Amino acid sequence: MAAALGIRTELCHILRPSITQMRLLNQRCFCNKPPARDAAHKRTNRSTRHGQPGVVPDNRLNTFDWLSQYGPRFVIQGEQVQVITEPTQFYEVLKLKSRKAKKRITLASLYLGSGDLEKDLVACVREACLAAVVSGNSDFQVNILLDYTRGSRGTVNSRSMLRPLLAEFRNVSVSLFHTPDLRGLLKKLIPDRFNETIGLTHVKVYLFDDSFIISGANLSADYFTNRQDRYILFNNCSQLADFFHDFVKAIMSFSLSLAPDNSLRLAPDWNIHPYKDSSLKFKMAAREKIESCLRIGEAVHSKKSPADLQNSESGGKSFTDEPLSNSQPGDTAVYPLVQMGPFGVTHDEQMLLCLLRSSDAHDHILLASGYFNLTDYYMSVILNQSLAKFSILMASPQANGFLGAKGVAGAIPYSYIYLAHQFLKQVQKTHQNQRIHLLEYVRDSWTFHGKGLWYYLPSRHFPTLTLVGSPNFGYRSVYRDLECQVAVVTEHKGLQEQLREEHVRMFSSSQPVTEQTFHRRDRYVPLWVRVVTSVIKHFF
């Protein structure tokens, strides 16, 4: 009984942080006033509303200039970006890029699987390490970031997969992020798998020299075969690759370093233990590491010093002050967006709220999430403030990765059914069935883990903006886990065509969700699941 009371106390502490912690960690304010589009676009919207064809301004990058409030901006060529659509392609690119890497391999994922496909991927990394030794390339380095709880699950796990690589090569580093919220009785008593609900690193970046993939996919066999996700490859983007390399290294700096003997130690130049020392002290120091990385990333682009950027006001700070001018080369702007709720870093959440609020009635937003559990903020803005038309794609119960899981985890797909039904009821209650549409991904023998957003401006057949990365737009993504995605704004016709093809392929395996959908026998949600979902939805 005492132990149970102790766990309950710990959970309450996590769910309701103290006012002091919130003030210290979450100093940035929410965007309550959406950014206005330029005058030309306002004229476009007015003429379109009166039935006249609208014309979007030629430089559509400037339509989303305000994104620079929430992340550093990098301008590249659209031809440097390749959209990967299938998990088998994703896997082959990972292996090819690993074997050919000459300068660095930087991998950030939730975990690394332990099957034959994963062993082949590790073998490709080893091949690059051997090539560096043979050529005398002492500058070559491999940095791998995984989550402590997920990467330590079971006896054969991510750690056991990577220890031989650590033992063989001195230039390989493996770090395991441990959330500071898993401590005390929670850490002692919550079993494996369930301890992952407290918080973890969910960042997915796969970097090779000056090219990288940003995705929502993990390094596991199902993500290489029949689990649909999104994957965008940025080729030969040196400054952008440097930023993500430094970003992953920043997380590694406050994570636990893995040794060949399976022991763990604090990273060099870091002296705050994630669960033995002060939680608040750890979070404050980790927050500064991340914010410093973002300032340095912006300094590269704007030629400002990190100190100048640090002195900007936190509430209304812009990562770059100057608009995108025609003198800057490139037709595509990329904005890294970071969300680390435990540390009070909420750039991605604030950006998305502003994007939804600033949408117009003739905009079309396609949103995908493998796990439909939108936060109250997101749902409220979509229902009550956003004007755009929405098509929201989620996993059907059959395409949910938790379907058939043992124990309580097997009930998770039914929790998502319940949450989706509750949202649909709100759509119907507010008479917005024509504006907001729900769809389910259905594909035989496939699961769905896709996430992100495609944004269509009025009278445009191709998306101008996309969001891609690790966030699912749910409670865990916003409040518990470490997340990162990019906003890509492009005028490049070829890239726009790729993005449209990506969304069409993904949505073509979908079926509309209506009230009748939830009357089917396979959508029955037991009473106990409905009751429990309202309590535990903050943990999945």
Side-chain angles (χ1 to χ4, degrees), residues 305-438:
S305 71
D308 291 337
L309 292 161
Q310 185 174 16
N311 291 331
S312 301
E313 294 182 4
S314 61
K317 183 185 78 173
S318 174
F319 278 91
T320 180
D321 296 323
E322 70 280 5
L324 184 64
S325 65
N326 294 329
S327 63
Q328 291 178 286
D331 51 30
T332 301
V334 182
Y335 303 83
L337 301 163
V338 176
Q339 183 75 18
M340 297 185 175
F343 307 153
V345 180
T346 60
H347 303 169
D348 183 62
E349 178 191 20
Q350 294 182 58
M351 176 283 306
L352 184 56
L353 289 171
C354 280
L355 182 67
L356 299 179
R357 288 190 178 113
S358 63
S359 64
D360 287 322
H362 291 80
D363 295 346
H364 189 186
I365 297 176
L366 297 98
L367 187 148
S369 177
Y371 304 113
F372 185 82
N373 185 17
L374 298 179
T375 67
D376 291 339
Y377 273 121
Y378 290 158
M379 285 193 292
S380 177
V381 170
I382 290 173
L383 289 168
N384 303 316
Q385 298 181 41
S386 184
L387 299 177
K389 178 183 177 182
F390 282 86
S391 298
I392 302 176
L393 179 63
M394 56 192 176
S396 67
Q398 295 76 20
N400 190 297
F402 287 97
L403 187 69
K406 297 179 180 179
V408 178
I412 291 179
Y414 299 97
S415 291
Y416 288 118
I417 292 173
Y418 176 70
L419 292 169
H421 195 189
Q422 294 300 108
F423 179 72
L424 181 62
K425 288 179 178 178
Q426 289 297 312
V427 172
Q428 294 170 334
K429 182 179 179 180
T430 53
H431 307 290
Q432 301 191 72
N433 305 65
Q434 299 303 311
R435 187 177 72 88
I436 302 172
H437 300 92
L438 297 182

Side-chain angles (χ1 to χ4, degrees), residues 48-49 53 61 64 251 257 266 269 279 307 433 472 514 524 535:
T48 304
R49 286 191 178 99
L61 294 184
F64 298 100
I251 302 175
S257 297
L266 294 179
D269 303 321
S279 171
N433 305 65
N472 278 296
T514 64
Y524 172 73
V535 177

Side-chain angles (χ1 to χ4, degrees), residues 11-251:
L11 287 172
C12 288
H13 174 71
I14 293 172
L15 285 171
R16 294 188 291 272
S18 68
I19 295 176
T20 302
Q21 282 186 318
M22 291 303 293
R23 285 176 176 171
L24 287 171
L25 289 175
N26 199 12
Q27 296 173 358
R28 297 177 67 88
C29 62
F30 281 102
C31 173
N32 293 315
K33 184 178 180 181
R37 294 186 179 174
D38 56 38
H41 193 78
K42 289 180 180 178
R43 289 194 296 273
T44 296
N45 289 332
R46 283 198 294 269
S47 64
T48 304
R49 286 191 178 99
H50 285 85
Q52 302 173 11
V55 179
V56 176
D58 289 337
N59 190 349
R60 292 182 294 279
L61 294 184
N62 289 339
T63 303
F64 298 100
D65 262 352
W66 58 269
L67 287 168
S68 60
Q69 296 177 54
Y70 304 106
R73 176 175 55 198
F74 297 86
V75 181
I76 63 174
Q77 298 288 347
E79 62 191 24
Q80 295 174 275
V81 185
Q82 180 181 352
V83 178
I84 300 172
T85 57
E86 294 293 330
T88 52
Q89 297 172 341
F90 169 58
Y91 179 59
E92 292 303 323
V93 172
L94 287 176
K95 291 199 298 179
L96 179 64
K97 292 286 188 181
S98 294
R99 285 196 300 266
K100 292 189 173 183
K102 304 296 182 184
K103 180 171 63 173
R104 62 191 175 190
I105 296 176
T106 304
L107 307 177
S109 186
L110 175 61
Y111 69 103
L112 171 70
S114 56
D116 290 339
L117 294 180
E118 296 90 329
K119 290 176 183 176
D120 286 347
L121 178 59
V122 174
C124 292
V125 176
R126 181 177 181 274
E127 185 178 328
C129 292
L130 283 172
V133 171
V134 171
S135 64
N137 180 9
S138 59
D139 293 331
F140 182 76
Q141 56 179 294
V142 175
N143 295 284
I144 301 175
L145 169 69
L146 304 171
D147 183 70
Y148 171 89
T149 53
R150 185 63 182 86
S152 303
R153 186 199 293 181
T155 54
V156 180
N157 52 36
S158 304
R159 293 164 68 167
S160 62
M161 288 284 291
L162 294 170
R163 283 166 55 199
L165 207 61
L166 280 170
E168 187 174 3
F169 301 103
R170 298 178 60 183
N171 59 343
V172 176
S173 299
V174 177
S175 296
L176 303 170
F177 170 77
H178 191 295
T179 176
D181 289 327
L182 181 62
R183 55 178 51 237
L185 284 174
L186 283 180
K187 182 168 177 63
K188 291 179 180 179
L189 299 178
I190 295 184
D192 288 351
R193 191 178 184 116
F194 292 98
N195 58 9
E196 298 165 26
T197 63
I198 304 302
L200 39 75
T201 178
H202 202 240
V203 174
K204 320 291 175 65
V205 176
Y206 308 114
L207 188 149
F208 314 91
D209 294 341
D210 290 334
S211 301
F212 67 96
I213 297 171
I214 189 157
S215 176
N218 294 303
L219 299 177
S220 180
D222 49 349
Y223 292 92
F224 302 151
T225 52
N226 63 343
R227 189 156 172 76
Q228 184 64 61
D229 214 305
R230 298 183 67 203
Y231 340 80
I232 293 188
L233 170 63
F234 295 84
N235 280 304
N236 300 317
C237 302
S238 58
Q239 290 186 350
L240 196 50
D242 286 345
F243 169 83
F244 276 105
H245 170 77
D246 293 341
F247 174 69
V248 173
K249 289 280 287 183
I251 302 175

Side-chain angles (χ1 to χ4, degrees), residues 514-533:
T514 64
E515 181 63 32
Q516 287 67 39
T517 304
F518 298 100
H519 294 167
R520 289 162 40 180
R521 182 176 299 178
D522 64 338
R523 303 309 169 94
Y524 172 73
V525 181
L527 177 60
W528 74 269
V529 173
R530 283 176 271 167
V531 172
V532 171
T533 297

